[in-house]
Amino acid sequence: MDPRVRRIRKASAGFSDSSTLIMNSLGSEVLTESTVVSASIEVVAEHQGESQAGWDYDVRRFYRELDIEQVGRRAARKALDLLGARSIDSVKAPVLLDPPVAEEFLSIMASGLSAESVQKKRSLFIGKLDSSVISPLITVYDDGLLAGGLGTAPSDDELVPMKKKTVIDKGRLALYLYNTYSANKDRTASTGNGIRGGFRGMPGVGVTNLYIAPGAQTQEEILQSTPKGLLVTEIMGAHMANPISGDFSVGATGFWIEQGKKAYPVREITIAGNILDLMKNIDAVGSDLRFSGRIGSPSLRVKELSIGGK
């Protein structure tokens, strides 16, 4: 792709198929056969004594949907784009989150949507059912019937039929996610979110295909409408965020935005805040929905976020 791309640190691909049979004492029986394919690569670009790494991946249900060449090209582009990156002064500014970054923030929030977490007092959303919790531009679905979704199946792991559910409706928390046990505790019905790691494990509460509904604008259009700010293409340390309080402080790389364009690459910065405050301040939603596993998001622009630099 470019002579400055000098090395490949690691490249891998995975192809698997599985069959899962679930039966219960009531005579119900579901057999699910599925495939998963994936590809990832990390490359290094070098120029005038500087080196930068770029990583990309994709995972799909079907091989025909996996574009391995594009995975390589995206990784190379990321490495090349970071050549010449620098830090910036600490500032509060609009922040545009690339889809993989927005997915990580949705993942932090996802555990709080579990009724099990609410019952154990370990959720961001305790006592907030039917309340406005995030930006009205955001609608979140959990869709166990999504075509090609990694969490798609006829039923959950307790034989409750899958369906599409609106979890957050235009910023309003519409429901919690239940398995049978947590539903019985609240005297309600399972939402089909009984997930187990294998036949030896007890069913917990998990997502099927959880995603933020895409908007009408492309990322480029959102970028052009941002006079000044930060485009974040990668974060480090999201797993350290507090899923109960929602507080986070993560390392970030990306691009500084000037007059609606990428001005220069930036690194060695942090973004910090609270996940619910971040989601409340979303003022633009992209059309570029992308999934990483069972969680997906389009680009999201935050009205203002604290950026820590030099």
Side-chain angles (χ1 to χ4, degrees), residues 104-112 121-125 128 134 237-250 271-280 305:
E104 293 203 55
F105 283 111
L106 180 58
S107 295
I108 297 169
M109 202 171 72
S111 63
K121 310 297 183 187
R122 294 167 56 186
S123 168
L124 289 162
F125 300 109
K128 294 182 179 179
I134 58 176
H239 63 286
M240 300 295 289
N242 189 320
I244 301 173
S245 70
D247 294 333
F248 67 87
S249 179
V250 295
I271 55 174
N274 181 275
I275 185 66
L276 285 186
D277 291 338
L278 180 151
M279 288 292 184
K280 285 175 184 175
L305 203 58

Side-chain angles (χ1 to χ4, degrees), residues 93-155:
V95 173
L96 177 57
L97 306 175
D98 212 29
V101 176
E103 289 165 15
E104 293 203 55
F105 283 111
L106 180 58
S107 295
I108 297 169
M109 202 171 72
S111 63
L113 298 170
S114 158
E116 188 174 53
S117 296
V118 173
Q119 291 165 356
K120 292 179 178 179
K121 310 297 183 187
R122 294 167 56 186
S123 168
L124 289 162
F125 300 109
I126 295 171
K128 294 182 179 179
L129 196 62
D130 290 324
S131 300
S132 178
V133 290
I134 58 176
S135 167
L137 297 178
I138 300 288
T139 293
V140 178
Y141 296 112
D142 184 71
D143 186 0
L145 300 175
L146 183 70
L150 292 190
T152 298
S155 74

Side-chain angles (χ1 to χ4, degrees), residues 4-307:
R4 293 172 294 174
V5 179
R6 301 290 179 84
R7 290 182 286 123
I8 296 172
R9 283 185 177 168
K10 184 180 180 182
S12 65
F15 311 92
S16 67
D17 63 90
S18 63
S19 298
T20 303
L21 175 64
I22 306 175
M23 306 171 68
N24 69 17
S25 56
L26 299 176
S28 298
E29 179 179 320
V30 170
L31 173 65
T32 306
E33 296 183 332
S34 61
T35 57
V36 177
V37 295
S38 64
S40 68
I41 191 169
E42 184 178 19
V43 304
V44 177
E46 298 177 353
H47 184 64
Q48 296 180 347
E50 178 191 2
S51 64
Q52 295 287 351
W55 179 79
D56 199 82
Y57 71 103
D58 199 9
V59 55
R60 302 279 178 167
R61 273 289 190 201
F62 306 110
Y63 180 73
R64 65 178 179 269
E65 297 172 353
L66 183 70
D67 194 332
I68 295 178
E69 182 176 331
Q70 283 304 312
V71 172
R73 289 186 176 275
R74 286 196 301 262
R77 185 76 270 155
K78 289 176 181 178
L80 292 165
D81 284 347
L82 283 175
L83 289 171
R86 47 182 150 145
S87 188
I88 56 174
D89 293 328
S90 296
V91 66
K92 286 189 175 182
V95 173
L96 177 57
L97 306 175
D98 212 29
V101 176
E103 289 165 15
E104 293 203 55
F105 283 111
L106 180 58
S107 295
I108 297 169
M109 202 171 72
S111 63
L113 298 170
S114 158
E116 188 174 53
S117 296
V118 173
Q119 291 165 356
K120 292 179 178 179
K121 310 297 183 187
R122 294 167 56 186
S123 168
L124 289 162
F125 300 109
I126 295 171
K128 294 182 179 179
L129 196 62
D130 290 324
S131 300
S132 178
V133 290
I134 58 176
S135 167
L137 297 178
I138 300 288
T139 293
V140 178
Y141 296 112
D142 184 71
D143 186 0
L145 300 175
L146 183 70
L150 292 190
T152 298
S155 74
D156 72 356
D157 293 338
E158 297 181 307
L159 291 179
V160 177
M162 288 288 199
K163 58 184 178 179
K164 181 178 182 179
K165 305 170 289 290
T166 304
V167 184
I168 297 178
D169 186 12
K170 296 178 180 178
R172 179 185 64 87
L173 181 61
L175 56 82
Y176 296 128
L177 302 177
Y178 286 95
N179 64 357
T180 301
Y181 182 79
S182 59
N184 286 341
K185 289 185 74 173
D186 282 353
R187 297 182 180 180
T188 188
S190 170
T191 57
N193 291 88
I195 306 296
R196 59 198 298 184
F199 66 87
R200 290 186 177 90
M202 294 293 288
V205 178
V207 302
T208 59
N209 300 294
L210 186 80
Y211 66 96
I212 294 173
Q217 293 179 285
T218 65
Q219 186 186 90
E220 187 61 30
E221 288 171 337
I222 297 174
L223 186 70
Q224 291 171 359
S225 67
T226 309
K228 183 179 288 190
L230 178 69
L231 167 62
V232 178
T233 56
E234 185 178 354
I235 57 175
M236 291 75 73
H239 63 286
M240 300 295 289
N242 189 320
I244 301 173
S245 70
D247 294 333
F248 67 87
S249 179
V250 295
T253 58
F255 298 89
W256 185 249
I257 302 167
E258 292 280 357
Q259 299 179 344
K261 296 180 180 179
K262 297 176 186 177
Y264 52 84
V266 295
R267 61 176 180 173
E268 297 177 357
I269 59 171
T270 60
I271 55 174
N274 181 275
I275 185 66
L276 285 186
D277 291 338
L278 180 151
M279 288 292 184
K280 285 175 184 175
N281 286 302
I282 298 297
D283 65 359
V285 179
S287 58
D288 49 347
L289 173 63
R290 182 182 172 184
F291 275 84
S292 295
R294 292 175 176 238
I295 293 183
S297 176
S299 297
L300 302 175
R301 186 177 65 192
V302 188
K303 191 185 305 180
E304 186 178 84
L305 203 58
S306 293
I307 304 166

